[in-house]
PDB file of all heavy atoms in Angstrom:
ATOM      1  N   MET A   1      21.075 -65.155  55.173  1.00  0.00           N
ATOM      2  CA  MET A   1      19.979 -65.010  56.129  1.00  0.00           C
ATOM      3  C   MET A   1      20.110 -65.906  57.362  1.00  0.00           C
ATOM      4  O   MET A   1      19.644 -65.537  58.425  1.00  0.00           O
ATOM      5  CB  MET A   1      18.647 -65.318  55.451  1.00  0.00           C
ATOM      6  CG  MET A   1      18.365 -64.434  54.280  1.00  0.00           C
ATOM      7  SD  MET A   1      18.148 -62.766  54.808  1.00  0.00           S
ATOM      8  CE  MET A   1      16.842 -62.244  53.776  1.00  0.00           C
ATOM      9  N   VAL A   2      20.677 -67.073  57.199  1.00  0.00           N
ATOM     10  CA  VAL A   2      20.724 -68.047  58.289  1.00  0.00           C
ATOM     11  C   VAL A   2      22.151 -68.128  58.825  1.00  0.00           C
ATOM     12  O   VAL A   2      23.103 -68.303  58.071  1.00  0.00           O
ATOM     13  CB  VAL A   2      20.262 -69.442  57.799  1.00  0.00           C
ATOM     14  CG1 VAL A   2      20.337 -70.454  58.916  1.00  0.00           C
ATOM     15  CG2 VAL A   2      18.860 -69.361  57.228  1.00  0.00           C
ATOM     16  N   LYS A   3      22.254 -68.005  60.132  1.00  0.00           N
ATOM     17  CA  LYS A   3      23.568 -68.112  60.767  1.00  0.00           C
ATOM     18  C   LYS A   3      23.931 -69.582  60.924  1.00  0.00           C
ATOM     19  O   LYS A   3      23.093 -70.466  60.848  1.00  0.00           O
ATOM     20  CB  LYS A   3      23.544 -67.426  62.126  1.00  0.00           C
ATOM     21  CG  LYS A   3      23.289 -65.946  62.039  1.00  0.00           C
ATOM     22  CD  LYS A   3      23.224 -65.334  63.397  1.00  0.00           C
ATOM     23  CE  LYS A   3      22.902 -63.854  63.261  1.00  0.00           C
ATOM     24  NZ  LYS A   3      22.762 -63.216  64.554  1.00  0.00           N
ATOM     25  N   ASP A   4      25.183 -69.829  61.162  1.00  0.00           N
ATOM     26  CA  ASP A   4      25.702 -71.170  61.442  1.00  0.00           C
ATOM     27  C   ASP A   4      25.625 -72.113  60.253  1.00  0.00           C
ATOM     28  O   ASP A   4      25.480 -73.323  60.418  1.00  0.00           O
ATOM     29  CB  ASP A   4      24.995 -71.810  62.641  1.00  0.00           C
ATOM     30  CG  ASP A   4      25.153 -70.976  63.904  1.00  0.00           C
ATOM     31  OD1 ASP A   4      26.190 -70.297  64.026  1.00  0.00           O
ATOM     32  OD2 ASP A   4      24.240 -71.013  64.743  1.00  0.00           O
ATOM     33  N   ILE A   5      25.716 -71.585  59.045  1.00  0.00           N
ATOM     34  CA  ILE A   5      25.795 -72.444  57.854  1.00  0.00           C
ATOM     35  C   ILE A   5      27.245 -72.470  57.408  1.00  0.00           C
ATOM     36  O   ILE A   5      27.886 -71.423  57.291  1.00  0.00           O
ATOM     37  CB  ILE A   5      24.888 -71.929  56.725  1.00  0.00           C
ATOM     38  CG1 ILE A   5      23.428 -72.145  57.084  1.00  0.00           C
ATOM     39  CG2 ILE A   5      25.202 -72.629  55.417  1.00  0.00           C
ATOM     40  CD1 ILE A   5      22.457 -71.742  56.008  1.00  0.00           C
ATOM     41  N   ASP A   6      27.752 -73.651  57.167  1.00  0.00           N
ATOM     42  CA  ASP A   6      29.133 -73.818  56.725  1.00  0.00           C
ATOM     43  C   ASP A   6      29.266 -73.322  55.285  1.00  0.00           C
ATOM     44  O   ASP A   6      28.690 -73.922  54.367  1.00  0.00           O
ATOM     45  CB  ASP A   6      29.527 -75.296  56.827  1.00  0.00           C
ATOM     46  CG  ASP A   6      30.982 -75.549  56.497  1.00  0.00           C
ATOM     47  OD1 ASP A   6      31.735 -74.563  56.349  1.00  0.00           O
ATOM     48  OD2 ASP A   6      31.360 -76.726  56.397  1.00  0.00           O
ATOM     49  N   PRO A   7      30.007 -72.241  55.048  1.00  0.00           N
ATOM     50  CA  PRO A   7      30.113 -71.699  53.685  1.00  0.00           C
ATOM     51  C   PRO A   7      30.818 -72.642  52.714  1.00  0.00           C
ATOM     52  O   PRO A   7      30.528 -72.647  51.514  1.00  0.00           O
ATOM     53  CB  PRO A   7      30.891 -70.398  53.858  1.00  0.00           C
ATOM     54  CG  PRO A   7      31.484 -70.434  55.202  1.00  0.00           C
ATOM     55  CD  PRO A   7      30.714 -71.428  56.015  1.00  0.00           C
ATOM     56  N   ARG A   8      31.716 -73.478  53.216  1.00  0.00           N
ATOM     57  CA  ARG A   8      32.409 -74.429  52.343  1.00  0.00           C
ATOM     58  C   ARG A   8      31.435 -75.472  51.803  1.00  0.00           C
ATOM     59  O   ARG A   8      31.426 -75.772  50.608  1.00  0.00           O
ATOM     60  CB  ARG A   8      33.543 -75.112  53.119  1.00  0.00           C
ATOM     61  CG  ARG A   8      34.394 -76.051  52.269  1.00  0.00           C
ATOM     62  CD  ARG A   8      35.445 -76.760  53.111  1.00  0.00           C
ATOM     63  NE  ARG A   8      34.911 -77.502  54.233  1.00  0.00           N
ATOM     64  CZ  ARG A   8      34.321 -78.692  54.145  1.00  0.00           C
ATOM     65  NH1 ARG A   8      34.167 -79.274  52.988  1.00  0.00           N
ATOM     66  NH2 ARG A   8      33.868 -79.302  55.218  1.00  0.00           N
ATOM     67  N   LYS A   9      30.593 -75.988  52.678  1.00  0.00           N
ATOM     68  CA  LYS A   9      29.599 -76.976  52.243  1.00  0.00           C
ATOM     69  C   LYS A   9      28.559 -76.346  51.319  1.00  0.00           C
ATOM     70  O   LYS A   9      28.106 -76.976  50.369  1.00  0.00           O
ATOM     71  CB  LYS A   9      28.908 -77.618  53.450  1.00  0.00           C
ATOM     72  CG  LYS A   9      29.813 -78.556  54.215  1.00  0.00           C
ATOM     73  CD  LYS A   9      29.084 -79.209  55.353  1.00  0.00           C
ATOM     74  CE  LYS A   9      30.017 -80.129  56.125  1.00  0.00           C
ATOM     75  NZ  LYS A   9      29.342 -80.763  57.253  1.00  0.00           N
ATOM     76  N   LEU A  10      28.203 -75.113  51.604  1.00  0.00           N
ATOM     77  CA  LEU A  10      27.256 -74.410  50.730  1.00  0.00           C
ATOM     78  C   LEU A  10      27.871 -74.198  49.350  1.00  0.00           C
ATOM     79  O   LEU A  10      27.187 -74.337  48.336  1.00  0.00           O
ATOM     80  CB  LEU A  10      26.846 -73.081  51.351  1.00  0.00           C
ATOM     81  CG  LEU A  10      25.691 -72.376  50.683  1.00  0.00           C
ATOM     82  CD1 LEU A  10      24.437 -73.230  50.765  1.00  0.00           C
ATOM     83  CD2 LEU A  10      25.455 -71.039  51.321  1.00  0.00           C
ATOM     84  N   GLY A  11      29.145 -73.893  49.299  1.00  0.00           N
ATOM     85  CA  GLY A  11      29.848 -73.766  48.020  1.00  0.00           C
ATOM     86  C   GLY A  11      29.844 -75.068  47.245  1.00  0.00           C
ATOM     87  O   GLY A  11      29.697 -75.073  46.014  1.00  0.00           O
ATOM     88  N   GLU A  12      30.003 -76.183  47.959  1.00  0.00           N
ATOM     89  CA  GLU A  12      29.950 -77.494  47.306  1.00  0.00           C
ATOM     90  C   GLU A  12      28.567 -77.761  46.724  1.00  0.00           C
ATOM     91  O   GLU A  12      28.438 -78.337  45.645  1.00  0.00           O
ATOM     92  CB  GLU A  12      30.329 -78.593  48.300  1.00  0.00           C
ATOM     93  CG  GLU A  12      31.777 -78.591  48.704  1.00  0.00           C
ATOM     94  CD  GLU A  12      32.084 -79.574  49.810  1.00  0.00           C
ATOM     95  OE1 GLU A  12      31.165 -80.314  50.253  1.00  0.00           O
ATOM     96  OE2 GLU A  12      33.245 -79.604  50.256  1.00  0.00           O
ATOM     97  N   ILE A  13      27.531 -77.340  47.439  1.00  0.00           N
ATOM     98  CA  ILE A  13      26.163 -77.530  46.948  1.00  0.00           C
ATOM     99  C   ILE A  13      25.935 -76.697  45.690  1.00  0.00           C
ATOM    100  O   ILE A  13      25.364 -77.175  44.706  1.00  0.00           O
ATOM    101  CB  ILE A  13      25.140 -77.189  48.051  1.00  0.00           C
ATOM    102  CG1 ILE A  13      25.184 -78.254  49.151  1.00  0.00           C
ATOM    103  CG2 ILE A  13      23.738 -77.075  47.476  1.00  0.00           C
ATOM    104  CD1 ILE A  13      24.359 -77.943  50.366  1.00  0.00           C
ATOM    105  N   ILE A  14      26.395 -75.453  45.706  1.00  0.00           N
ATOM    106  CA  ILE A  14      26.230 -74.597  44.529  1.00  0.00           C
ATOM    107  C   ILE A  14      27.019 -75.164  43.346  1.00  0.00           C
ATOM    108  O   ILE A  14      26.553 -75.138  42.206  1.00  0.00           O
ATOM    109  CB  ILE A  14      26.639 -73.148  44.859  1.00  0.00           C
ATOM    110  CG1 ILE A  14      25.638 -72.561  45.855  1.00  0.00           C
ATOM    111  CG2 ILE A  14      26.706 -72.295  43.595  1.00  0.00           C
ATOM    112  CD1 ILE A  14      26.010 -71.214  46.408  1.00  0.00           C
ATOM    113  N   GLU A  15      28.178 -75.723  43.618  1.00  0.00           N
ATOM    114  CA  GLU A  15      28.965 -76.372  42.561  1.00  0.00           C
ATOM    115  C   GLU A  15      28.220 -77.595  42.017  1.00  0.00           C
ATOM    116  O   GLU A  15      28.216 -77.833  40.812  1.00  0.00           O
ATOM    117  CB  GLU A  15      30.326 -76.789  43.112  1.00  0.00           C
ATOM    118  CG  GLU A  15      31.240 -77.377  42.075  1.00  0.00           C
ATOM    119  CD  GLU A  15      32.599 -77.740  42.651  1.00  0.00           C
ATOM    120  OE1 GLU A  15      33.029 -77.102  43.628  1.00  0.00           O
ATOM    121  OE2 GLU A  15      33.233 -78.660  42.108  1.00  0.00           O
ATOM    122  N   HIS A  16      27.569 -78.337  42.894  1.00  0.00           N
ATOM    123  CA  HIS A  16      26.773 -79.494  42.475  1.00  0.00           C
ATOM    124  C   HIS A  16      25.611 -79.047  41.580  1.00  0.00           C
ATOM    125  O   HIS A  16      25.296 -79.699  40.579  1.00  0.00           O
ATOM    126  CB  HIS A  16      26.273 -80.235  43.706  1.00  0.00           C
ATOM    127  CG  HIS A  16      25.653 -81.560  43.415  1.00  0.00           C
ATOM    128  ND1 HIS A  16      25.083 -82.326  44.383  1.00  0.00           N
ATOM    129  CD2 HIS A  16      25.496 -82.272  42.278  1.00  0.00           C
ATOM    130  CE1 HIS A  16      24.600 -83.427  43.857  1.00  0.00           C
ATOM    131  NE2 HIS A  16      24.831 -83.416  42.579  1.00  0.00           N
ATOM    132  N   VAL A  17      24.986 -77.929  41.942  1.00  0.00           N
ATOM    133  CA  VAL A  17      23.895 -77.383  41.123  1.00  0.00           C
ATOM    134  C   VAL A  17      24.417 -76.983  39.746  1.00  0.00           C
ATOM    135  O   VAL A  17      23.785 -77.261  38.725  1.00  0.00           O
ATOM    136  CB  VAL A  17      23.220 -76.180  41.827  1.00  0.00           C
ATOM    137  CG1 VAL A  17      22.249 -75.482  40.901  1.00  0.00           C
ATOM    138  CG2 VAL A  17      22.521 -76.623  43.084  1.00  0.00           C
ATOM    139  N   ALA A  18      25.579 -76.341  39.713  1.00  0.00           N
ATOM    140  CA  ALA A  18      26.169 -75.931  38.432  1.00  0.00           C
ATOM    141  C   ALA A  18      26.492 -77.154  37.569  1.00  0.00           C
ATOM    142  O   ALA A  18      26.225 -77.159  36.356  1.00  0.00           O
ATOM    143  CB  ALA A  18      27.417 -75.099  38.667  1.00  0.00           C
ATOM    144  N   ASN A  19      27.045 -78.181  38.177  1.00  0.00           N
ATOM    145  CA  ASN A  19      27.342 -79.411  37.424  1.00  0.00           C
ATOM    146  C   ASN A  19      26.070 -80.085  36.937  1.00  0.00           C
ATOM    147  O   ASN A  19      26.033 -80.619  35.822  1.00  0.00           O
ATOM    148  CB  ASN A  19      28.162 -80.375  38.277  1.00  0.00           C
ATOM    149  CG  ASN A  19      29.575 -79.909  38.470  1.00  0.00           C
ATOM    150  OD1 ASN A  19      30.124 -79.179  37.651  1.00  0.00           O
ATOM    151  ND2 ASN A  19      30.185 -80.312  39.574  1.00  0.00           N
ATOM    152  N   LEU A  20      25.030 -80.050  37.767  1.00  0.00           N
ATOM    153  CA  LEU A  20      23.746 -80.613  37.354  1.00  0.00           C
ATOM    154  C   LEU A  20      23.223 -79.884  36.127  1.00  0.00           C
ATOM    155  O   LEU A  20      22.768 -80.507  35.168  1.00  0.00           O
ATOM    156  CB  LEU A  20      22.728 -80.533  38.489  1.00  0.00           C
ATOM    157  CG  LEU A  20      21.294 -80.924  38.137  1.00  0.00           C
ATOM    158  CD1 LEU A  20      21.207 -82.388  37.750  1.00  0.00           C
ATOM    159  CD2 LEU A  20      20.367 -80.615  39.292  1.00  0.00           C
ATOM    160  N   GLN A  21      23.292 -78.562  36.144  1.00  0.00           N
ATOM    161  CA  GLN A  21      22.809 -77.786  35.002  1.00  0.00           C
ATOM    162  C   GLN A  21      23.619 -78.087  33.745  1.00  0.00           C
ATOM    163  O   GLN A  21      23.045 -78.318  32.677  1.00  0.00           O
ATOM    164  CB  GLN A  21      22.871 -76.290  35.308  1.00  0.00           C
ATOM    165  CG  GLN A  21      22.420 -75.435  34.147  1.00  0.00           C
ATOM    166  CD  GLN A  21      22.383 -73.964  34.480  1.00  0.00           C
ATOM    167  OE1 GLN A  21      22.249 -73.592  35.629  1.00  0.00           O
ATOM    168  NE2 GLN A  21      22.498 -73.135  33.478  1.00  0.00           N
ATOM    169  N   ILE A  22      24.920 -78.123  33.864  1.00  0.00           N
ATOM    170  CA  ILE A  22      25.766 -78.397  32.696  1.00  0.00           C
ATOM    171  C   ILE A  22      25.449 -79.770  32.125  1.00  0.00           C
ATOM    172  O   ILE A  22      25.257 -79.924  30.913  1.00  0.00           O
ATOM    173  CB  ILE A  22      27.256 -78.288  33.087  1.00  0.00           C
ATOM    174  CG1 ILE A  22      27.615 -76.829  33.362  1.00  0.00           C
ATOM    175  CG2 ILE A  22      28.150 -78.858  31.989  1.00  0.00           C
ATOM    176  CD1 ILE A  22      28.962 -76.649  34.028  1.00  0.00           C
ATOM    177  N   ASN A  23      25.386 -80.770  32.981  1.00  0.00           N
ATOM    178  CA  ASN A  23      25.126 -82.137  32.509  1.00  0.00           C
ATOM    179  C   ASN A  23      23.714 -82.294  31.957  1.00  0.00           C
ATOM    180  O   ASN A  23      23.509 -82.991  30.965  1.00  0.00           O
ATOM    181  CB  ASN A  23      25.383 -83.147  33.624  1.00  0.00           C
ATOM    182  CG  ASN A  23      26.846 -83.261  33.957  1.00  0.00           C
ATOM    183  OD1 ASN A  23      27.707 -83.040  33.116  1.00  0.00           O
ATOM    184  ND2 ASN A  23      27.140 -83.579  35.199  1.00  0.00           N
ATOM    185  N   ALA A  24      22.747 -81.655  32.600  1.00  0.00           N
ATOM    186  CA  ALA A  24      21.365 -81.765  32.126  1.00  0.00           C
ATOM    187  C   ALA A  24      21.206 -81.101  30.762  1.00  0.00           C
ATOM    188  O   ALA A  24      20.536 -81.652  29.877  1.00  0.00           O
ATOM    189  CB  ALA A  24      20.407 -81.147  33.133  1.00  0.00           C
ATOM    190  N   LEU A  25      21.822 -79.944  30.575  1.00  0.00           N
ATOM    191  CA  LEU A  25      21.733 -79.277  29.275  1.00  0.00           C
ATOM    192  C   LEU A  25      22.431 -80.094  28.195  1.00  0.00           C
ATOM    193  O   LEU A  25      21.975 -80.152  27.048  1.00  0.00           O
ATOM    194  CB  LEU A  25      22.330 -77.870  29.352  1.00  0.00           C
ATOM    195  CG  LEU A  25      21.540 -76.870  30.183  1.00  0.00           C
ATOM    196  CD1 LEU A  25      22.307 -75.566  30.305  1.00  0.00           C
ATOM    197  CD2 LEU A  25      20.161 -76.639  29.600  1.00  0.00           C
ATOM    198  N   LYS A  26      23.523 -80.729  28.563  1.00  0.00           N
ATOM    199  CA  LYS A  26      24.259 -81.550  27.607  1.00  0.00           C
ATOM    200  C   LYS A  26      23.472 -82.800  27.227  1.00  0.00           C
ATOM    201  O   LYS A  26      23.499 -83.232  26.072  1.00  0.00           O
ATOM    202  CB  LYS A  26      25.612 -81.937  28.212  1.00  0.00           C
ATOM    203  CG  LYS A  26      26.508 -82.735  27.299  1.00  0.00           C
ATOM    204  CD  LYS A  26      27.879 -82.958  27.910  1.00  0.00           C
ATOM    205  CE  LYS A  26      27.778 -83.702  29.210  1.00  0.00           C
ATOM    206  NZ  LYS A  26      29.069 -84.069  29.797  1.00  0.00           N
ATOM    207  N   ASN A  27      22.740 -83.356  28.191  1.00  0.00           N
ATOM    208  CA  ASN A  27      22.013 -84.607  27.961  1.00  0.00           C
ATOM    209  C   ASN A  27      20.559 -84.409  27.554  1.00  0.00           C
ATOM    210  O   ASN A  27      19.817 -85.372  27.441  1.00  0.00           O
ATOM    211  CB  ASN A  27      22.068 -85.481  29.214  1.00  0.00           C
ATOM    212  CG  ASN A  27      23.470 -85.929  29.528  1.00  0.00           C
ATOM    213  OD1 ASN A  27      24.285 -86.110  28.639  1.00  0.00           O
ATOM    214  ND2 ASN A  27      23.770 -86.084  30.797  1.00  0.00           N
ATOM    215  N   ALA A  28      20.145 -83.188  27.310  1.00  0.00           N
ATOM    216  CA  ALA A  28      18.745 -82.913  26.977  1.00  0.00           C
ATOM    217  C   ALA A  28      18.416 -83.214  25.519  1.00  0.00           C
ATOM    218  O   ALA A  28      17.264 -83.166  25.126  1.00  0.00           O
ATOM    219  CB  ALA A  28      18.400 -81.464  27.291  1.00  0.00           C
ATOM    220  N   SER A  29      19.399 -83.531  24.721  1.00  0.00           N
ATOM    221  CA  SER A  29      19.167 -83.839  23.312  1.00  0.00           C
ATOM    222  C   SER A  29      19.173 -85.348  23.116  1.00  0.00           C
ATOM    223  O   SER A  29      20.081 -86.043  23.572  1.00  0.00           O
ATOM    224  CB  SER A  29      20.258 -83.216  22.446  1.00  0.00           C
ATOM    225  OG  SER A  29      20.235 -81.828  22.556  1.00  0.00           O
ATOM    226  N   PHE A  30      18.150 -85.823  22.415  1.00  0.00           N
ATOM    227  CA  PHE A  30      18.026 -87.251  22.138  1.00  0.00           C
ATOM    228  C   PHE A  30      17.918 -87.440  20.633  1.00  0.00           C
ATOM    229  O   PHE A  30      17.359 -86.596  19.936  1.00  0.00           O
ATOM    230  CB  PHE A  30      16.770 -87.837  22.794  1.00  0.00           C
ATOM    231  CG  PHE A  30      16.666 -87.539  24.259  1.00  0.00           C
ATOM    232  CD1 PHE A  30      15.774 -86.600  24.723  1.00  0.00           C
ATOM    233  CD2 PHE A  30      17.469 -88.181  25.170  1.00  0.00           C
ATOM    234  CE1 PHE A  30      15.664 -86.312  26.067  1.00  0.00           C
ATOM    235  CE2 PHE A  30      17.378 -87.904  26.519  1.00  0.00           C
ATOM    236  CZ  PHE A  30      16.471 -86.970  26.967  1.00  0.00           C
ATOM    237  N   ALA A  31      18.425 -88.552  20.149  1.00  0.00           N
ATOM    238  CA  ALA A  31      18.334 -88.838  18.718  1.00  0.00           C
ATOM    239  C   ALA A  31      17.770 -90.246  18.528  1.00  0.00           C
ATOM    240  O   ALA A  31      18.237 -91.206  19.142  1.00  0.00           O
ATOM    241  CB  ALA A  31      19.705 -88.742  18.064  1.00  0.00           C
ATOM    242  N   PHE A  32      16.774 -90.346  17.682  1.00  0.00           N
ATOM    243  CA  PHE A  32      16.185 -91.634  17.336  1.00  0.00           C
ATOM    244  C   PHE A  32      17.036 -92.221  16.215  1.00  0.00           C
ATOM    245  O   PHE A  32      17.192 -91.612  15.163  1.00  0.00           O
ATOM    246  CB  PHE A  32      14.730 -91.439  16.898  1.00  0.00           C
ATOM    247  CG  PHE A  32      13.975 -92.718  16.668  1.00  0.00           C
ATOM    248  CD1 PHE A  32      13.878 -93.674  17.662  1.00  0.00           C
ATOM    249  CD2 PHE A  32      13.355 -92.960  15.460  1.00  0.00           C
ATOM    250  CE1 PHE A  32      13.172 -94.847  17.464  1.00  0.00           C
ATOM    251  CE2 PHE A  32      12.641 -94.123  15.250  1.00  0.00           C
ATOM    252  CZ  PHE A  32      12.558 -95.070  16.258  1.00  0.00           C
ATOM    253  N   ASP A  33      17.605 -93.392  16.445  1.00  0.00           N
ATOM    254  CA  ASP A  33      18.595 -93.941  15.516  1.00  0.00           C
ATOM    255  C   ASP A  33      18.012 -94.792  14.390  1.00  0.00           C
ATOM    256  O   ASP A  33      18.755 -95.426  13.663  1.00  0.00           O
ATOM    257  CB  ASP A  33      19.642 -94.738  16.281  1.00  0.00           C
ATOM    258  CG  ASP A  33      19.045 -95.886  17.078  1.00  0.00           C
ATOM    259  OD1 ASP A  33      17.814 -95.928  17.219  1.00  0.00           O
ATOM    260  OD2 ASP A  33      19.816 -96.732  17.561  1.00  0.00           O
ATOM    261  N   LYS A  34      16.728 -94.796  14.228  1.00  0.00           N
ATOM    262  CA  LYS A  34      16.089 -95.561  13.146  1.00  0.00           C
ATOM    263  C   LYS A  34      15.634 -94.606  12.046  1.00  0.00           C
ATOM    264  O   LYS A  34      15.460 -93.415  12.262  1.00  0.00           O
ATOM    265  CB  LYS A  34      14.875 -96.322  13.677  1.00  0.00           C
ATOM    266  CG  LYS A  34      15.141 -97.201  14.873  1.00  0.00           C
ATOM    267  CD  LYS A  34      15.818 -98.454  14.470  1.00  0.00           C
ATOM    268  CE  LYS A  34      15.929 -99.338  15.715  1.00  0.00           C
ATOM    269  NZ  LYS A  34      16.733-100.471  15.542  1.00  0.00           N
ATOM    270  N   THR A  35      15.409 -95.151  10.874  1.00  0.00           N
ATOM    271  CA  THR A  35      14.878 -94.372   9.752  1.00  0.00           C
ATOM    272  C   THR A  35      13.540 -94.981   9.336  1.00  0.00           C
ATOM    273  O   THR A  35      13.252 -96.145   9.660  1.00  0.00           O
ATOM    274  CB  THR A  35      15.837 -94.391   8.553  1.00  0.00           C
ATOM    275  OG1 THR A  35      16.000 -95.734   8.107  1.00  0.00           O
ATOM    276  CG2 THR A  35      17.195 -93.808   8.925  1.00  0.00           C
ATOM    277  N   PRO A  36      12.724 -94.219   8.598  1.00  0.00           N
ATOM    278  CA  PRO A  36      11.426 -94.765   8.169  1.00  0.00           C
ATOM    279  C   PRO A  36      11.556 -96.038   7.341  1.00  0.00           C
ATOM    280  O   PRO A  36      10.671 -96.893   7.365  1.00  0.00           O
ATOM    281  CB  PRO A  36      10.820 -93.638   7.341  1.00  0.00           C
ATOM    282  CG  PRO A  36      11.441 -92.405   7.895  1.00  0.00           C
ATOM    283  CD  PRO A  36      12.831 -92.799   8.293  1.00  0.00           C
ATOM    284  N   SER A  37      12.676 -96.207   6.646  1.00  0.00           N
ATOM    285  CA  SER A  37      12.841 -97.416   5.835  1.00  0.00           C
ATOM    286  C   SER A  37      13.063 -98.667   6.686  1.00  0.00           C
ATOM    287  O   SER A  37      12.947 -99.794   6.188  1.00  0.00           O
ATOM    288  CB  SER A  37      14.005 -97.242   4.859  1.00  0.00           C
ATOM    289  OG  SER A  37      15.217 -97.041   5.562  1.00  0.00           O
ATOM    290  N   ASP A  38      13.372 -98.504   7.975  1.00  0.00           N
ATOM    291  CA  ASP A  38      13.538 -99.641   8.874  1.00  0.00           C
ATOM    292  C   ASP A  38      12.202-100.243   9.311  1.00  0.00           C
ATOM    293  O   ASP A  38      12.176-101.309   9.913  1.00  0.00           O
ATOM    294  CB  ASP A  38      14.315 -99.218  10.125  1.00  0.00           C
ATOM    295  CG  ASP A  38      15.749 -98.840   9.821  1.00  0.00           C
ATOM    296  OD1 ASP A  38      16.271 -99.290   8.798  1.00  0.00           O
ATOM    297  OD2 ASP A  38      16.334 -98.075  10.621  1.00  0.00           O
TER     298      ASP A  38
END
């Protein structure tokens, strides 16, 4: 829609978004390392 946008930089942004999604999904799991006996 917008003229004069650098497609290479836009590709880098989309790649950054993809990396953000991959890393966020990978890091969305947390584990509590204690047990009730502690």
Side-chain angles (χ1 to χ4, degrees):
M1 301 294 219
V2 179
K3 296 178 183 177
D4 301 330
I5 289 183
D6 185 9
R8 184 183 56 78
K9 289 182 181 179
L10 191 62
E12 290 173 2
I13 290 173
I14 293 172
E15 184 178 332
H16 190 184
V17 171
N19 288 334
L20 172 64
Q21 178 176 335
I22 290 168
N23 291 332
L25 291 174
K26 183 174 60 174
N27 295 329
S29 298
F30 307 105
F32 187 56
D33 59 348
K34 307 283 185 189
T35 61
S37 62
D38 293 337

